[in-house]
Amino acid sequence: MLLDSASLWYRAFYGMPDSLLSPDGTPINAIRGYLDMSARLMTIYKPTRLVACIEGDWRPSWRVELFPGYKANRLDEDGGEEEPDLLAPQIPILMDVLDAFGIPIVGVDDYEADDVMASFAQRENGPIRIVTGDRDMFQVVDDQKDVKIVYLAKGISQHDLVDSAWIGRKYEIPGDRYALFAMFRGDPSDGLPGVKGIGEKGAALIANHFSSVEDVIDAARNSHDCLSPNLIKKIIAGQDYLEIAPTLVQCARDVSLPNIDLNLPIKPTDLSQIYSLQKQHGLGASIDRMIAALGW
């Protein structure tokens, strides 16, 4: 089980009341929500391996060099990531808690958590479940290897388990062509425009007939029967973007990952550090749920 940590703590922050405070008044809604969600999903899916994946860089330099507008919509005045004031102080505490539990935390310089998770999915044997609210990860689904996405857009209790058939039903495309579909459609949340004038319907048509950007451009140049003159015009006009789109949109799968023990942590002889954090930060039943989920 790979936890898309930023996705989880943002979801927790906005889903839990900010009146949840530690004894010293620090907000703890994101921490408690993250722990509660993780514990519940661990109880449902019973993973034997667990990694909390974090951003080494939320705007990797190599993506920004290719496309300066990448995630520029999320920049704050100082050029950092726009982050709620009440969330920022919670992250170091959460990292301390995960560390106390012995749960590996992995982020790699100049790569996003998506790249880290995709590389783990590439390197490790299945089954693999990637927990996220981000549809970018649909491109990593692999039925043969049993890589599926625990997709949290509707919340924990109504989450979807995304496989190729789910992608096919949702977008009416072959399940293994989500990345190609996304290159043409774009993603406003990441500041990615896609190909101007091509929306979800046009992107789906393209993904149903072609398997690569090169094939699509070649088909447009040769006026392929399945492409309307209007669509051909848009594809030709979008060639400059399409040249960089595969690198921008596709997750890196060759990130140099640390060789660490991914197995669920074994119960330590002494839980005093965990109980101390529980008391210090007022984490109450959230810590108890994680202890139970780990089978301690």
Side-chain angles (χ1 to χ4, degrees):
M1 180 168 276
L2 300 165
L3 303 174
D4 183 357
S5 291
S7 179
L8 276 172
W9 68 53
Y10 269 101
R11 185 163 294 277
F13 178 78
Y14 288 110
M16 301 278 280
D18 56 15
S19 54
L20 288 169
L21 305 173
S22 71
D24 69 0
T26 303
I28 52 169
N29 58 335
I31 303 169
R32 292 201 62 162
Y34 182 106
L35 296 174
D36 289 349
M37 286 191 283
S38 300
R40 187 158 173 200
L41 291 168
M42 287 161 63
T43 302
I44 293 169
Y45 289 102
K46 299 179 170 51
T48 55
R49 297 162 292 165
L50 181 68
V51 188
C53 299
I54 60 173
E55 311 275 28
D57 191 337
W58 70 285
R59 287 184 85 220
S61 60
W62 50 277
R63 282 195 172 106
V64 175
E65 281 165 18
L66 270 179
F67 187 73
Y70 183 63
K71 293 188 178 178
N73 52 321
R74 300 193 215 166
L75 287 169
D76 63 19
E77 292 174 357
D78 302 317
E81 184 177 12
E82 206 168 31
E83 193 172 65
D85 291 341
L86 297 178
L87 172 60
Q90 300 189 54
I91 309 308
I93 300 168
L94 176 60
M95 295 294 102
D96 288 345
V97 171
L98 294 176
D99 194 48
F101 273 109
I103 294 168
I105 303 164
V106 178
V108 178
D109 285 350
D110 213 25
Y111 288 99
E112 299 175 59
D114 287 4
D115 302 314
V116 171
M117 293 185 291
S119 296
F120 269 122
Q122 183 79 18
R123 187 185 85 174
E124 297 294 317
N125 294 325
I128 293 168
R129 301 291 177 262
I130 298 172
V131 178
T132 185
D134 187 350
R135 59 186 180 175
D136 290 348
M137 295 310 297
F138 293 174
Q139 64 183 276
V140 183
V141 164
D142 183 339
D143 289 354
Q144 191 173 353
K145 194 175 179 181
D146 196 4
V147 179
K148 295 176 182 164
I149 309 302
V150 179
Y151 185 49
L152 303 179
K154 298 177 189 169
I156 289 279
S157 56
Q158 293 182 290
H159 74 268
D160 291 296
L161 186 61
V162 176
D163 59 8
S164 292
W166 189 98
I167 294 169
R169 289 192 302 272
K170 174 78 172 172
Y171 299 105
E172 298 183 347
I173 60 172
D176 60 352
R177 294 186 188 171
Y178 182 83
L180 181 68
F181 168 75
M183 289 174 213
F184 284 87
R185 179 201 58 198
D187 188 346
S189 69
D190 285 340
L192 295 176
V195 176
K196 190 173 181 182
I198 297 181
E200 198 149 300
K201 193 174 177 182
L205 184 148
I206 288 165
N208 272 293
H209 286 90
F210 307 99
S211 59
S212 72
V213 167
E214 293 78 14
D215 288 349
V216 179
I217 292 172
D218 186 54
R221 286 174 179 161
N222 291 290
S223 301
H224 195 287
D225 291 346
C226 76
L227 300 173
S228 68
N230 190 29
L231 201 50
I232 287 170
K233 186 179 175 183
K234 290 170 182 173
I235 292 165
I236 297 294
Q239 281 182 93
D240 286 350
Y241 177 76
L242 287 171
E243 278 182 23
I244 61 170
T247 308
L248 272 177
V249 173
Q250 292 180 137
C251 297
R253 302 196 187 202
D254 57 354
V255 176
S256 181
L257 299 169
N259 287 310
I260 52 175
D261 185 1
L262 306 179
N263 292 314
L264 281 193
I266 297 165
K267 182 179 180 179
T269 51
D270 183 5
L271 290 174
S272 59
Q273 185 188 3
I274 291 169
Y275 288 135
S276 173
L277 287 166
Q278 180 185 34
K279 184 177 180 183
Q280 180 185 349
H281 300 293
L283 300 176
S286 299
I287 292 287
D288 299 333
R289 291 185 190 107
M290 277 298 288
I291 290 172
L294 287 164
W296 293 357

